[in-house]
Structures are given as structure tokens and as C-alpha cells.
């Protein structure tokens, strides 16, 4: 990879030639406002907030899509550029419900933060606002497209990362909109990747509604218990109740989760959930017992069967919810402890 | 002796068939030896003549051509008697001087064969030296020579931007890749534009030959024609022409017995204006939604399927065989220093002779309007011409001596664009014209970027306010502010040029904006919301027509007494104005 030398705000930088101007700036600690750019996705270039000036070019260019070239002289902050950014924010907010008071995304909304930084209220260019029905019968994802700024991130992550292509742009002009095929209810994997990258409150979890945003919310870093993949998750809880699950983009799983990890948490407080071992007695009834008693019961039966029928009368089936290490120990138990090769895993069934 | 009767669509509509039959009958009766032929009839080729004077009849006698206009069947006997038998031209029915200037000022290169040859026959094309250029290029010339020839000709892209074609090909030639593409852009989405359609319908082989030469120059093995599905006849002709070219070995493996392989596919567009933008066009061919992509990378380096791609407009490509055949010097002989050659314009609007015209670049607007166009149809004063469609601007009557070339038009705040030319007269409201184009660009914006998607919507709303009488004093500044932001920040050419009609009408017709905003008046009496209707008691005959026509009950009156309009109830539909036979309803 070749290196090129460019100057950003008068500072000479030597950077790899496959970077965009924004990436080069970020690497050297220079932040450029942006909304549609997401590091996991290919650049889109739609919001136009990231415009910078390049010496010799007649118009400002989008730094998120423009590759660096040798000798480029870039300025990221001028009164004119700030005016441009304010212009874009004014336009976005002129077509936005601006109901941050009751919006799920308050506090974690990039649009809100930019509006705050630039002091833009969206009053300069008043006009028609898009009004959509919010009805979408899917069980997990709330889609409030009046808040959508058409940054395209959801479309891109669904396509480029998840490989599903459940949503795309539809219609033209002011009426352009992110839609499902034929405007049906969203019917997809419900991985929620789209929700995780939406910079506004357009996509949120249905389960999250009214449960809490940031006031009094405790975040706990942990590992998803659903499968051996071991995605890192952040559990958001308030009043000792899980109100939301998210994942940090810098976690090894890059903030990506599946439907179970992201939305499958209500079981935690289910009254039907087993919290103690049960033994089925001769009567057919389950009887609560201690872990010691339960394990002794199992080991006694395993020994008895092996003695009477031989080790191959026993087989073991392990679970995909176990980690690699747990699965290793399980087959060890059957092979070395019981003495059989009858061992399998539910993921093969 | 040959008699040619115009049988183009307009000719037929004016009674061409009856005239034709009359000639046949009259010749049979008088036993005069003459052949009666049809003009412009070759399979519905759009007529490129002076349709307004149909039925036009040409008489070819002793090597001279005489043209009669407005011929009716009952005039045939006299023409046969006096002219064909007697040898004396029937002066009363000759075309007038305007007919002459209509042709004299035009130079047909791209349109030369359109309407003259059968577009569905490759033999017809070859009989007018078709495919000679391609054959010669494949047999004995290097890509570099071709590129040099096109560069020297000064040909610039006719799709709108005017990028030098030779230079584009040179970049395409230099791009390193085993696979390259050449694409013919036949999306033609500007409202009122039909140049490219006429070229493909009239001479599809010329476009194919241009593509073959271009493909060889950049060494591309694959070609696409991106054409809108709303042009079914053009698509059909193109398909036919591609098959014919393939069967003669002009497309496919080893074309013209050389070692060069090249073939062309057709890709139908679904009729989005933005798909004419080259990167959106590429996305569309790839099966994606037609949304522009950021440049760089430019298509010539990373285009279709990420491979080097040259995109040229239909008219650009149709020029190529002529340049190769006649030499770059011949082509460069037309036009001005920096805008060489000819350009096809679609002349429409309030003009006497609307239609497609081909003129040398650098011709003045006055020559086009007055001599070729025959002036304003209504006889009212000429006000302005809108060039370049929704991306262009207007040229006011005061600048009628402007030359039609890239530089002069850009300086005036408009563009040559793809060649749309809408003529406006005193009855056209310039604010309304601007609104019309912004309506179009807003509806056709792909929605990708904020300035274009939301900005043009706000522009449109402001214009709607002004034209409905709700404008406020700072609306002009607001329009300028929005326009400035949209122009500098939009991603693609659609947004970057969308404010041009607004800015240029403000520049040249600010007084009309002021009249709408300050005086609440539409000087051209077009904007309904600004009109007031009243009845002149002196003229009113109390016939009651307006009373019956008014949908909102605003008209009141009794028999034999002048009627009245209640402005509070009037919805300004103009029904009373239209029905009054006595001119008593006044509109202001
Ligand atoms: C919104 C938009 C619409 C366009 N539509 C067309 C079109 O319909 N036909 C065309 O040839 N070029 C169109 N263009 C220009 C093309 O992007 C491109 O410049 C052209 O096809 C290049 O060919 P040329 O160099 O031969 O002119 C359009 C550009 C924009 C921005
Ligand atoms: S939940 Fe996942 S699969 Fe469904 S639309 Fe979002 S990203 Fe695509
Ligand atoms: S829903 Fe969210 S992520 Fe998707 S385009 Fe709209 S704002 Fe962007
Ligand atoms: S300028 Fe308009 S048409 Fe072009 S990318 Fe932006 S929204 Fe789409
Ligand atoms: S961040 Fe660059 S255009 Fe949106």
C-alpha cells in the first residue's frame, strides 16, 4: 500500500492511499461531523454533513466518500462549512417530529447531539413534514419512519453485514422512504443490526418502550448466555429489571447480535423459568431438590446402567448454549468417564 | 418526374393519404408519366420537416425541386395540369420564404439520414455509406489514431455536461483492465426532450456504429444501451438493428474480420430522470436502485461492475461515424472555437414551427427563433427561452443575439444541456415556469442526499406560496439561500443544477417575482391564486352563463340586470371568464 502526504487544516500528514479524507482526519484526531457514515459500512455520502474544502476544487466535497490523493490540501472547519452543516441540519429538522421529550433515542441520538452542538432547532425552513402510519405488526422492531433521515445505514448493514436485504429505499423525492417489499410488515431475521446503527429514533426495540432511557439506568457488560459464540453484550437495567440489551461496536462481535441475544431477554423474569433442579419421582411428579442431590442421582444411575448394560448403552447429547470448553468437558466425561463414544450435539440435529 | 407527398405523422393527419390518392388518380387520368413517392413514411419516422405546413408536396422535375405547402386533394389537378404538364410552377401554393430559412439555417449531420432511409434495413444504412467508418477503423487504424481524430474534431458530449469526447476516450483507453465497457446513454428523461429517441428511431445503426468505433478506441469488449422502456419503438428498432449487425459480423466475435470482439446488450430503464446520471445508470444496470454514487472514483476508472466504463450520449455516438468518414477537420468546420459541430435541439413551446432542428453551434438564438422557428405562434411578444430543461435556465428576449454554445449559455446562467428549448411568450409566467421545473426535479430526486431531497421540497413550497398569492417580502432571499445550499451541497448533477431555473428567472425576471409577492399580481395572468374576477356591468348582457358555470355560487344576478361576482366566494377557477361570450368578465 502506497502512502500519500496531505495536509489537513495546515498539518502535513502521511497516510495510506486507500483511506478517505475522513478516515485520514480521524486517524490523526481530527473529527468531522457526520451522520450517514458508519465505520462498519461502505460510505454512502447522503447526509452531506461531512463536507470539507479542498484547495483547487470549486465546491465542498464529502470527506466520507472522497479518497485521499497526494498533495491534497483539506480544510475541515471554516465559517462557510459550518454554515453548510447548519443548512443541512435545518433541512433535516424541518422534516422531523422534534419530539425528543418522548423519543426512545433521546440521549443516544446522533441527530439530537448535532442539533445541540450547532444550536439548530429546525425553524428556519418550515414546510411539510412526512406523516406515516406507524403500524408494523412485527414483534420486535418499532419503525417510526417520520424520524428517519434516510442515512441508509440500516439498508447497508442489513445487506452488507447481515446479508438479508430485508429493506431498501423506495419512492422518490420528498416521499423517498426506507421500506420493506410491498410495504408489508417487516419480516426478517430480526437481528436488530439495523436498530443498532440507526442514528436517530427511527428504529428502536418494541420491548424498550417506556422502560427507561438513561436516567437511573445501570449498564452491565456481560456475555450472551444463548450460545457458545459468546457475544459480548451490555445489559441495561433499571430498578433491577432488564430494559434493553445492546452490544458495543468495539466488542469482538463488533456490536452485532442475533434476535435472541438482542431481544430474547424477557425470559429472565419469567415465572415459568427453572431456577432449581427437579427430580421426577415414581409418582410422575417433579420434586425440587439441591444440586448435590441431583448430581448424585444422575451419577448413581449412570453407574448402574454401565454395570448392567455396558457403557455403550449410554449416550450424551450436548447443547449449543454451552461454550466450547463446556462441550469439550462433556465429551471428556462421556469418553473418559463413561467410556463411550456415543456423544453428539444438538446443533447437528 | 417524381412527386413526393409527406406521409409522416403530421402529413397523414393533414390529409396526406388523400393527396397521395388524388395524385395517383390524376396522373392515371391524364396519362402523365411520373412516380408518386412517400416522404417521411419510412415506418413512422418522426417527421423532421416543417410539419406545420403539411401536406407538403415536392415536385422533382428537370433536376429542380419545387415544394408546395398546405396541399389539399382539390389542388392536385391544377398542379398536375400547370406544373407537370405545362411546366409552369403554381406560384400561389409555393412554400414561402420562411420555409427556405427553416432549412437554410440547419446543418444535418446526426439527423441527415433520419427520415430519409428505412431505419429497419441495414442495407439502407449501408447504401448511405453506413459502417464504412467502422470497417475502415477496424481494418487499418489504431485506437490512438481514432482518439486523436475525435479530439481534433472538438466533439463534446451531447448528454449535457459537454465533456470532450476524445479526452474521455483517452482516459478510457489508458485505464488498465482486462474488462471494459462502453455504455450508450439513451435514458433521455428531460421533459420535452426527444432528440435521442428520434435518432434511434430514425437511424439506429448510426448509434451502433458509433459504439463500435468507441469500443475499439478504448478496447472495450462489451457495450450496453441503457434506454427507457417508454420508447418501445426505439427499443424494437435497436433490437432489430443489433440482430442485423450481428448477422453480418459487425458485432460478436472478430468483428469486420478483425481480431476484435465486441457485442452490445440492451438494458431497459424504468423511466427515472436520475437514471440518466451516469453513476445512477450504472447502479441501475447492476440491478440496484438508480441512485447516484459518489465520484471519485469516476466511471472511466471504476464504472460498471467496478470496471473502466465510458458512457456516451446517443447523439454524441451518432456523430462519430460522420467524423471518421469525413475527417475531423470537416466536423470542426461547424460551430465555434470551443463548441464545435452541430447540435440537435427540440424546439417546443410557443413557436410557429416546433420540432427537432439541427444547427451549427454558435448560431444565434434570434436565428433559431425567428428564422427556423418562424417566430412566436400567437404573434405576441417573445419573452424568453428555457434551455437545458430542469437543469438549465432561461434566456430573456433582450439577449436574443446570444450564440448557442456551451460557453455563452453558461455565462448567461443556463446550459446547452441535452438540447431542450422551450419558447415562452408574454402569456407565460416565469415564476410558474420555475415552479414547473422544481416540481419535476423534486419528484425525480432519488432521495439520497438531504439538500436535494428536502431542499428542493422547500424551494417548491416557497414557489407555490408565491404563485398562490401568499408570498412574503423575504421569499426571494429565501429562494436564493436555499438554492445556494442545494447547489453547493448536493451529491449529483440533478441536485446541483435543480435551482438553476429559479436563479435564472430571479436574475432576469425579478420584477415578476416582485409583482407576485408585493402586488399580489401575476403579470402574465397565469397563477390562478392571484387573479381576481369581476363583471363589467356595461358589457354584461345578463345571459346567466357565468352564473350557471360558477361552481362555488359566487356569481349572483337577475334577469336583465348585470351580474356580480362575490370575491369572498370566488375560487378563481376562471369558469365564468371562459364561458362569457361578451367579454364582460374581467380577469386581473
Ligand atoms: C440528473 C441527470 C440526468 C441525466 N440524464 C441524461 C440523459 O438522459 N441522457 C444523457 O445522455 N445524459 C444524461 N446525463 C448526463 C450523463 O450523466 C453523462 O454525463 C452523459 O451521458 C455522458 O455522455 P456524453 O459525454 O456523451 O455527453 C444526465 C445527468 C444528470 C446529472
Ligand atoms: S433486523 Fe436484521 S435482518 Fe431484519 S431488517 Fe434489521 S438488519 Fe435486516
Ligand atoms: S431508519 Fe435509521 S438507519 Fe435507517 S435510514 Fe432511517 S435514520 Fe438511517
Ligand atoms: S442530488 Fe438528488 S438525485 Fe442526486 S443523489 Fe442527491 S438526492 Fe439523489
Ligand atoms: S457522513 Fe459524509 S455524507 Fe454523510
Amino acid at each position: 500500500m502506497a502512502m500519500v502526504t496531505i495536509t489537513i487544516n495546515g498539518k502535513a500528514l502521511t497516510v495510506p492511499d486507500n483511506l478517505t479524507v475522513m478516515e485520514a482526519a480521524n486517524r490523526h484526531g481530527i473529527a468531522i461531523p457526520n451522520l450517514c457514515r458508519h465505520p462498519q459500512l461502505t460510505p454512502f455520502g447522503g447526509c452531506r454533513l461531512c463536507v470539507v474544502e479542498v484547495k483547487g476544487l470549486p465546491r465542498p466535497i464529502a470527506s466520507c466518500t472522497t479518497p485521499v490523493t497526494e498533495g491534497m490540501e483539506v480544510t475541515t472547519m471554516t465559517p462557510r462549512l459550518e454554515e453548510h452543516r447548519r443548512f443541512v441540519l435545518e433541512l433535516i429538522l424541518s422534516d422531523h417530529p422534534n419530539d425528543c421529550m418522548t423519543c426512545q433515542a433521546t440521549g443516544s441520538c446522533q441527530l439530537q447531539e448535532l442539533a445541540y452542538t450547532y444550536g439548530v432547532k429546525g425553524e428556519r425552513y418550515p414546510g411539510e413534514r412526512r406523516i406515516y402510519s406507524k403500524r408494523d405488526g412485527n414483534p420486535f422492531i418499532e419503525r417510526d419512519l417520520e424520524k428517519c433521515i434516510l442515512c441508509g445505514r440500516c439498508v447497508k448493514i442489513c445487506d452488507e453485514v447481515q446479508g438479508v436485504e430485508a429493506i431498501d429505499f423506495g419512492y422518490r423525492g420528498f416521499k423517498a422512504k426506507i421500506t420493506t417489499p410491498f410495504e408489508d410488515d417487516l419480516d426478517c431475521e430480526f437481528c436488530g443490526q439495523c436498530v443498532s446503527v440507526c442514528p436517530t429514533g427511527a428504529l428502536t426495540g418494541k420491548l424498550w418502550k417506556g422502560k427507561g432511557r438513561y436516567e437511573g439506568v445501570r449498564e452491565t457488560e456481560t456475555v450472551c448466555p444463548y450460545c457458545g459464540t459468546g457475544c459480548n453484550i451490555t445489559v441495561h437495567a433499571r430498578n433491577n429489571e432488564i430494559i434493553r440489551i445492546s452490544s458495543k461496536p468495539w466488542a469482538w462481535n463488533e456490536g452485532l447480535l442475533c434476535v435472541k441475544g438482542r431481544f430474547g431477554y424477557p425470559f429472565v423474569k419469567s415465572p415459568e423459568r427453572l431456577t432449581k433442579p427437579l427430580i421426577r419421582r415414581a409418582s410422575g411428579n417433579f420434586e425440587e431438590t439441591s444440586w448435590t442431590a441431583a448430581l448424585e442421582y444422575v451419577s448413581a444411575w449412570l453407574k448402574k446402567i454401565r454395570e448392567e448394560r455396558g457403557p455403550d448403552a449410554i449416550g450424551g447429547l450436548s447443547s449449543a448454549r454451552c461454550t466450547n470448553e463446556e462441550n469439550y468437558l462433556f465429551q471428556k466425561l462421556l469418553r473418559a468417564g463413561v467410556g463411550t463414544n456415543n456423544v453428539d450435539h444438538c446443533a447437528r440435529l | 418526374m417524381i412527386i413526393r407527398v409527406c406521409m409522416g405523422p403530421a402529413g397523414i393527419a393533414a390529409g396526406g393519404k388523400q393527396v397521395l390518392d388524388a395524385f395517383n388518380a390524376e396522373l392515371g387520368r391524364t396519362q402523365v408519366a411520373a412516380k408518386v413517392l412517400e416522404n417521411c413514411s419510412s415506418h413512422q419516422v418522426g417527421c423532421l420537416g416543417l410539419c406545420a405546413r403539411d401536406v407538403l408536396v415536392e415536385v422533382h422535375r428537370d433536376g429542380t425541386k419545387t415544394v408546395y405547402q398546405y396541399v389539399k386533394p382539390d389542388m392536385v389537378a391544377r398542379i398536375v395540369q400547370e406544373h407537370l404538364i405545362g411546366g409552369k410552377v403554381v406560384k400561389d401554393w409555393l412554400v414561402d420564404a420562411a420555409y427556405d430559412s427553416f432549412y437554410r439555417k440547419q446543418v444535418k449531420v446526426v439527423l441527415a439520414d433520419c427520415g430519409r432511409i428505412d431505419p429497419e434495413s441495414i442495407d439502407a444504412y449501408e447504401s448511405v455509406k453506413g459502417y464504412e467508418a467502422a470497417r475502415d477503423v477496424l481494418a487499418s487504424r489504431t485506437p490512438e489514431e481514432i482518439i486523436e481524430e475525435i479530439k481534433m474534431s472538438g466533439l463534446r458530449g451531447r448528454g449535457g455536461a459537454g465533456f470532450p469526447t476524445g479526452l474521455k476516450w483517452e482516459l478510457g483507453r489508458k485505464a488498465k483492465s482486462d474488462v471494459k465497457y462502453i455504455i450508450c446513454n439513451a435514458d433521455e428523461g428531460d421533459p420535452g426532450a426527444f432528440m435521442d429517441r428520434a435518432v434511434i428511431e430514425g437511424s439506429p445503426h448510426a448509434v451502433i456504429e458509433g459504439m463500435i468505433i468507441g469500443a475499439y478506441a478504448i478496447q472495450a469488449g462489451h457495450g450496453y444501451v441503457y434506454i427507457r422502456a417508454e420508447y418501445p419503438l426505439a427499443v424494437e428498432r435497436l433490437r432489430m438493428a443489433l440482430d442485423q449487425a450481428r448477422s453480418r459480423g459487425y458485432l460478436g466475435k472478430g468483428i469486420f474480420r478483425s481480431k476484435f470482439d465486441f457485442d452490445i446488450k440492451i438494458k431497459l430503464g424504468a423511466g427515472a430522470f436520475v437514471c440518466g446520471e451516469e453513476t445512477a445508470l450504472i447502479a441501475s444496470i447492476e440491478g440496484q436502485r438508480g441512485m447516484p454514487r459518489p465520484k471519485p472514483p469516476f466511471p472511466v476508472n471504476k464504472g460498471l461492475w467496478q470496471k473502466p466504463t465510458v458512457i456516451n450520449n446517443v447523439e454524441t455516438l451518432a456523430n462519430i461515424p460522420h467524423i471518421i468518414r469525413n475527417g475531423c477537420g470537416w466536423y470542426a468546420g461547424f460551430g465555434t472555437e470551443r463548441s464545435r459541430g452541430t447540435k440537435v435541439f427540440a424546439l417546443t413551446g410557443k413557436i410557429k414551427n416546433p420540432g427537432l432542428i439541427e444547427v451549427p453551434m454558435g448560431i444565434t438564438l434570434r436565428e433559431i427563433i425567428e428564422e427556423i422557428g418562424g417566430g412566436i405562434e400567437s404573434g405576441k411578444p417573445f419573452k424568453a427561452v428555457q434551455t437545458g430543461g430542469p437543469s438549465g435556465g432561461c434566456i430573456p428576449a433582450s439577449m436574443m443575439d446570444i450564440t448557442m454554445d456551451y460557453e455563452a449559455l453558461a455565462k448567461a446562467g443556463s446550459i446547452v444541456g441535452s438540447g431542450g428549448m422551450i419558447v415562452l411568450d408574454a402569456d407565460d409566467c416565469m415564476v410558474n415556469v420555475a415552479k414547473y421545473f422544481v416540481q419535476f426535479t423534486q419528484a425525480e430526486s432519488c432521495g439520497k442526499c438531504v439538500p436535494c431531497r428536502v431542499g428542493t421540497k422547500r424551494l417548491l413550497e416557497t414557489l407555490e406560496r408565491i404563485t398562490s398569492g401568499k408570498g412574503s417580502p423575504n421569499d426571494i432571499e429565501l429562494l436564493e439561500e436555499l438554492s445556494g445550499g442545494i447547489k453547493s451541497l448536493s451529491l449529483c448533477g440533478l441536485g446541483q443544477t435543480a435551482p438553476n431555473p429559479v436563479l435564472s428567472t430571479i436574475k432576469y425576471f425579478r420584477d415578476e417575482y416582485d409583482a407576485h409577492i408585493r402586488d399580489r399580481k401575476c403579470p402574465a395572468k397565469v397563477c390562478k391564486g392571484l387573479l381576481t374576477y369581476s363583471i363589467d356591468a356595461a358589457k354584461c348582457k345578463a345571459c346567466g352563463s357565468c352564473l350557471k358555470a360558477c361552481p362555488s355560487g359566487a356569481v349572483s344576478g337577475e334577469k336583465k340586470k348585470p351580474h356580480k361576482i362575490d370575491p369572498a366566494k370566488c375560487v378563481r377557477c376562471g369558469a365564468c371568464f371562459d364561458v362569457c361570450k361578451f367579454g364582460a368578465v374581467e380577469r386581473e
Side-chain angles (χ1 to χ4, degrees):
Chain A
M1 180 197 318
M3 302 293 280
V4 293
T5 302
I6 62 171
T7 59
I8 301 186
N9 300 340
K11 213 164 86 182
L13 310 170
T14 302
V15 293
D17 70 352
N18 63 347
L19 296 190
T20 63
V21 172
M22 184 186 278
E23 285 164 340
N26 291 353
R27 273 204 193 182
H28 289 86
I30 302 162
I32 301 174
N34 63 82
L35 259 179
C36 64
R37 178 74 191 119
H38 193 279
Q40 269 167 302
L41 308 171
T42 55
F44 182 65
C47 77
R48 317 309 284 170
L49 270 175
C50 67
V51 283
V52 296
E53 280 166 12
V54 174
K55 199 167 161 196
L57 294 186
R59 63 172 79 233
I61 53 133
S63 59
C64 70
T65 57
T66 308
V68 292
T69 49
E70 180 62 42
M72 205 177 213
E73 291 177 41
V74 181
T75 316
T76 66
M77 208 57 93
T78 65
R80 195 169 170 85
L81 286 173
E82 291 292 86
E83 209 37 62
H84 282 326
R85 290 174 186 138
R86 227 169 255 123
F87 177 75
V88 168
L89 287 170
E90 283 285 1
L91 287 178
I92 294 178
L93 291 183
S94 75
D95 178 30
H96 198 82
N98 294 344
D99 63 348
C100 304
M101 278 292 180
T102 50
C103 178
Q104 179 68 43
T106 280
S108 59
C109 172
Q110 264 178 277
L111 177 61
Q112 188 185 47
E113 207 59 13
L114 279 161
Y116 164 81
T117 311
Y118 282 91
V120 167
K121 289 187 172 177
E123 289 164 354
R124 189 160 175 83
Y125 310 117
E128 187 188 332
R129 190 161 77 65
R130 293 163 297 161
I131 303 293
Y132 296 130
S133 138
K134 288 178 198 84
R135 191 202 57 82
D136 188 322
N138 85 77
F140 298 112
I141 297 175
E142 186 73 32
R143 300 169 66 228
D144 183 352
L145 294 175
E146 290 174 15
K147 293 183 179 169
C148 171
I149 58 168
L150 285 110
C151 69
R153 286 187 187 184
C154 54
V155 174
K156 277 182 173 278
I157 202 159
C158 189
D159 170 19
E160 293 173 10
V161 176
Q162 199 65 15
V164 173
E165 298 184 79
I167 44 178
D168 205 342
F169 285 81
Y171 308 105
R172 296 177 203 172
F174 190 66
K175 299 194 186 88
K177 181 186 182 190
I178 308 294
T179 78
T180 56
F182 311 108
E183 295 253 30
D184 283 345
D185 288 352
L186 183 63
D187 184 9
C188 62
E189 300 193 354
F190 298 115
C191 62
Q193 298 340 346
C194 52
V195 178
S196 76
V197 292
C198 179
T200 71
L203 298 177
T204 54
K206 283 196 170 169
L207 300 168
W208 306 350
K209 218 182 210 159
K211 297 287 184 184
R213 294 184 290 195
Y214 50 90
E215 184 64 25
V217 173
R218 193 156 47 92
E219 293 187 12
T220 311
E221 299 302 325
T222 181
V223 176
C224 174
Y226 266 106
C227 79
T229 307
C231 294
N232 290 11
I233 57 174
T234 306
V235 176
H236 305 247
R238 194 169 75 166
N239 300 330
N240 208 30
E241 185 195 346
I242 298 180
I243 59 164
R244 189 162 75 241
I245 303 248
S246 66
S247 180
K248 299 273 188 313
W250 51 88
W252 71 264
N253 52 308
E254 298 175 356
L256 309 171
L257 294 174
C258 77
V259 60
K260 295 177 289 178
R262 197 180 300 276
F263 298 120
Y265 59 82
F267 79 92
V268 171
K269 57 169 193 190
S270 165
E272 288 174 17
R273 188 177 159 200
L274 295 185
T275 50
K276 297 220 172 76
L278 304 173
I279 292 179
R280 199 202 307 252
R281 294 301 178 191
S283 63
N285 290 341
F286 284 107
E287 191 179 279
E288 229 174 56
T289 182
S290 70
W291 277 111
T292 326
L295 287 171
E296 268 165 16
Y297 183 84
V298 171
S299 105
W301 268 101
L302 285 176
K303 274 184 200 147
K304 187 165 158 18
I305 294 168
R306 189 171 62 168
E307 263 156 41
E308 289 174 5
R309 307 277 174 96
D312 281 341
I314 297 173
L317 193 60
S318 148
S319 161
R321 294 191 64 157
C322 300
T323 61
N324 259 352
E325 293 79 356
E326 288 161 339
N327 278 314
Y328 175 80
L329 289 172
F330 183 74
Q331 62 82 35
K332 194 87 180 170
L333 172 73
L334 280 155
R335 293 205 167 100
V338 178
T340 178
N341 283 327
N342 292 341
V343 59
D344 213 333
H345 186 279
C346 76
R348 290 204 332 137
L349 296 182
Chain B
M1 276 187 294
I2 296 175
I3 297 158
R4 282 177 166 268
V5 180
C6 175
M7 287 284 281
I12 291 173
K17 178 84 178 68
Q18 287 80 341
V19 173
L20 193 90
D21 291 346
F23 268 107
N24 279 325
E26 192 62 21
L27 292 177
R29 203 179 60 79
T30 53
Q31 300 288 313
V32 175
K35 246 205 314 211
V36 183
L37 298 176
E38 301 177 3
N39 245 359
C40 303
S41 69
S42 298
H43 310 269
Q44 316 169 23
V45 173
C47 174
L48 300 172
L50 203 54
C51 305
R53 285 160 204 274
D54 264 321
V55 177
L56 287 162
V57 173
E58 293 172 13
V59 175
H60 299 256
R61 190 177 194 273
D62 310 327
T64 58
K65 180 173 107 178
T66 313
V67 189
Y68 294 103
Q69 62 183 7
Y70 304 121
V71 178
K72 300 260 170 312
D74 58 14
M75 294 155 71
V76 167
R78 185 168 156 205
I79 295 175
V80 171
Q81 203 56 43
E82 296 185 13
H83 190 171
L84 273 67
I85 300 175
K88 254 181 65 204
V89 169
V90 187
K91 288 223 170 71
D92 301 348
W93 298 335
L94 275 185
V95 284
D96 49 50
Y99 179 85
D100 243 19
S101 55
F102 177 82
Y103 282 105
R104 209 179 47 240
K105 293 283 171 172
Q106 296 199 55
V107 175
K108 305 241 174 162
V109 175
V110 171
L111 297 180
D113 299 331
C114 295
R116 295 273 148 195
I117 61 167
D118 179 354
E120 298 185 354
S121 153
I122 192 169
D123 288 327
Y125 182 63
E126 298 211 65
S127 76
V128 291
K129 300 191 177 164
Y131 287 115
E132 256 180 30
R135 189 174 286 115
D136 171 46
V137 162
L138 266 299
S140 58
R141 301 180 70 175
T142 65
E144 282 67 26
E145 283 169 28
I146 303 304
I147 290 170
E148 195 52 32
E149 183 95 51
I150 300 302
K151 273 174 132 181
M152 297 299 290
S153 78
L155 175 65
R156 292 170 65 173
R158 299 293 189 240
F163 192 84
T165 306
L167 186 58
K168 194 184 269 190
W169 286 11
E170 187 171 51
L171 295 170
R173 169 78 177 132
K174 284 189 179 144
K176 294 216 167 8
S177 170
D178 47 343
V179 179
K180 292 183 193 176
Y181 296 98
I182 184 164
I183 299 176
C184 168
N185 188 345
D187 191 53
E188 196 163 54
D190 301 30
F194 48 99
M195 297 76 60
D196 296 347
R197 169 181 167 173
V199 170
I200 295 184
E201 286 183 1
S203 189
H205 285 287
V207 180
I208 296 172
E209 189 177 2
M211 283 184 82
I212 292 173
I213 296 167
Y216 176 73
I218 66 163
Q219 293 289 298
H222 311 272
Y224 279 92
V225 180
Y226 187 86
I227 180 167
R228 51 179 43 224
E230 288 100 323
Y231 285 176
L233 183 62
V235 173
E236 192 192 313
R237 295 243 162 100
L238 201 56
R239 282 223 167 93
M240 215 180 270
L242 287 174
D243 286 343
Q244 291 168 349
R246 233 172 257 131
S247 70
R248 298 223 164 153
Y250 302 166
L251 288 173
K253 290 232 172 295
I255 61 172
F256 294 99
R257 298 172 197 278
S258 70
K259 291 208 177 69
F260 184 66
D261 304 335
F262 177 65
D263 210 335
I264 299 174
K265 283 187 187 149
I266 295 178
K267 177 81 189 178
L268 296 186
F273 176 53
V274 73
C275 283
E277 197 281 335
E278 48 191 12
T279 58
L281 186 153
I282 286 172
S284 177
I285 294 183
E286 289 175 359
Q288 307 283 327
R289 176 178 160 98
M291 291 209 284
R293 297 169 177 174
K295 293 188 270 192
F298 291 94
V300 77
N301 296 314
K302 275 190 184 175
L304 185 60
W305 317 114
Q306 298 292 307
K307 300 291 183 189
T309 304
V310 160
I311 301 183
N312 278 130
N313 165 262
V314 171
E315 190 185 332
T316 312
L317 290 165
N319 269 304
I320 301 290
H322 296 278
I323 296 174
I324 298 294
R325 233 165 31 221
N326 302 315
C328 55
W330 164 82
Y331 191 77
F334 305 113
T336 65
E337 183 66 31
R338 293 182 58 201
S339 303
R340 302 281 186 191
T342 62
K343 175 82 194 87
V344 181
F345 287 100
L347 192 59
T348 56
K350 306 285 178 59
I351 191 88
K352 226 179 236 159
N353 308 325
L356 281 190
I357 59 168
E358 184 170 359
V359 290
M361 288 259 180
I363 189 171
T364 65
L365 180 59
R366 185 183 298 281
E367 288 169 288
I368 293 185
I369 302 286
E370 291 180 353
E371 300 185 35
I372 300 176
I376 301 298
E377 184 171 26
S378 60
K380 294 200 175 151
F382 164 64
K383 188 188 247 181
V385 59
Q386 166 82 21
T387 65
S391 312
C394 63
I395 312 279
S398 60
M399 293 174 70
M400 226 172 159
D401 290 308
I402 189 174
T403 54
M404 303 301 279
D405 57 73
Y406 292 104
E407 286 69 35
L409 283 178
K411 221 175 105 198
S414 185
I415 56 168
V416 174
S418 54
M421 201 182 264
I422 303 173
V423 181
L424 307 165
D425 69 6
D427 283 342
D428 288 298
C429 165
M430 298 312 286
V431 187
N432 193 53
V433 166
K435 186 175 81 177
Y436 167 78
F437 283 112
V438 175
Q439 226 158 18
F440 177 81
T441 36
Q442 157 56 214
E444 291 293 324
S445 155
C446 82
K448 179 167 180 171
C449 70
V450 176
C452 172
R453 182 184 73 239
V454 190
T456 57
K457 174 76 177 169
R458 300 296 173 245
L459 262 188
L460 178 59
E461 288 168 341
T462 311
L463 290 166
E464 278 167 348
R465 252 193 341 262
I466 296 174
T467 53
S468 63
K470 301 192 189 93
S472 69
N474 53 5
D475 272 350
I476 296 186
E477 285 69 50
L478 177 63
L479 287 173
E480 286 172 334
E481 183 180 319
L482 284 165
S483 297
I486 297 166
K487 272 175 84 89
S488 340
L489 292 170
S490 291
L491 191 160
C492 85
L494 189 151
Q496 287 162 11
T497 58
N500 287 354
V502 180
L503 292 175
S504 79
T505 47
I506 293 181
K507 181 171 171 190
Y508 295 118
F509 297 95
R510 205 186 173 98
D511 54 328
E512 289 196 25
Y513 280 85
D514 284 339
H516 283 73
I517 296 170
R518 203 183 44 215
D519 313 332
R520 302 275 187 249
K521 288 260 178 297
C522 173
K525 298 193 169 42
V526 170
C527 300
K528 286 208 160 134
L530 288 167
L531 303 178
T532 48
Y533 292 88
S534 58
I535 294 174
D536 182 347
K539 287 191 194 158
C540 177
K541 299 265 189 292
C543 70
S545 313
C546 56
L547 196 143
K548 274 192 223 120
C550 177
S552 66
V555 182
S556 60
E558 293 161 32
K559 273 194 189 136
K560 300 203 177 148
K561 281 194 187 149
H563 287 28
K564 266 198 176 136
I565 296 175
D566 177 358
K569 285 192 191 158
C570 171
V571 293
R572 295 165 172 161
C573 67
C576 54
F577 183 85
D578 294 339
V579 293
C580 182
K581 289 196 210 74
F582 311 104
V585 178
E586 290 182 337
R587 184 173 68 176
E588 260 189 273

